[in-house]
Amino acid sequence: KQEVTQIPAALSVPEGENLVLNCSFTDSAIYNLQWFRQDPGKGLTSLLLIQSSQREQTSGRLNASLDKSSGRSTLYIAASQPGDSATYLCAVRETSGSRLTFGEGTQLTVNP
Amino acid sequence: DGGITQSPKYLFRKEGQNVTLSCEQNLNHDAMYWYRQDPGQGLRLIYYSQIVNDFQKGDIAEGYSVSREKKESFPLTVTSAQKNPTAFYLCASKTTGGVKRGNEQFFGPGTRLTVL
């Protein structure tokens, strides 16, 4: 059974700092991996989708990498801003028709 | 303006009542999902549907029911059999195919259900 772990569970950083969020998964045979952001009381917003054949994806200040062989993904946030404060979740899909398996999330606070 | 809508945003239920949460999408997605989120816990899958008129139980289907009569709609009914229904409910849908954006999942804004 696929298990997804996110470390750390919470992170507090000063504004402007570059930071890395980690996601690991137990079964490397995945179809894709998706990073989401969730603000309190809101739905999840898709940030980046990495297909199994890809190594990384970038969107603005965000860069996500995927290393299938080691079962790891990282989300890099450059020049963090208070508006980046949210919970970040990663999720993996094992086949095109299967459901997502989610991690517990990392709660990020960026202090002004 | 494409997306997933959920209504109502807040819902209050008396014990013993059934309530139905609405989920509509105009993204032309085949697959739709219902999740439950409790404070301090991750997302748990309730039901999902890969195609119209077909759906499967997720990890915590007891006390819930769904229907999928139209591609755009996937309503969730929380029955009186659900012992602890107070939670945040999220609906999602998923693209199919495509090399770059295939099988990307999108979420609605959620419905917060409170049992009085």
Side-chain angles (χ1 to χ4, degrees), chain B residues 47-101:
Chain B
Y47 268 99
Y48 61 105
S49 168
Q50 303 274 35
I51 198 168
V52 174
N53 292 322
D54 188 42
F55 48 82
Q56 289 79 40
K57 293 181 179 180
D59 299 321
I60 55 166
E62 185 176 352
Y64 300 97
S65 67
V66 293
S67 63
R68 187 85 188 277
E69 297 176 2
K70 298 187 299 181
K71 187 175 186 177
E72 303 79 22
S73 179
F74 191 40
L76 174 73
T77 297
V78 184
T79 74
S80 57
Q82 170 50 236
K83 298 305 177 188
N84 186 22
T86 294
F88 189 51
Y89 290 87
L90 288 160
C91 177
S93 67
K94 179 177 74 70
T95 64
T96 55
V99 175
K100 289 187 176 180
R101 306 301 291 187

Side-chain angles (χ1 to χ4, degrees), chain B residues 5 25 31 34 36 38-39 46 54 56 58 60-62 70 77 82 107-110 115:
Chain B
T5 58
Q25 54 99 359
W34 274 106
R36 170 180 172 143
D38 295 280
I46 305 172
D54 188 42
Q56 289 79 40
I60 55 166
E62 185 176 352
K70 298 187 299 181
T77 297
Q82 170 50 236
F107 282 79
V115 174

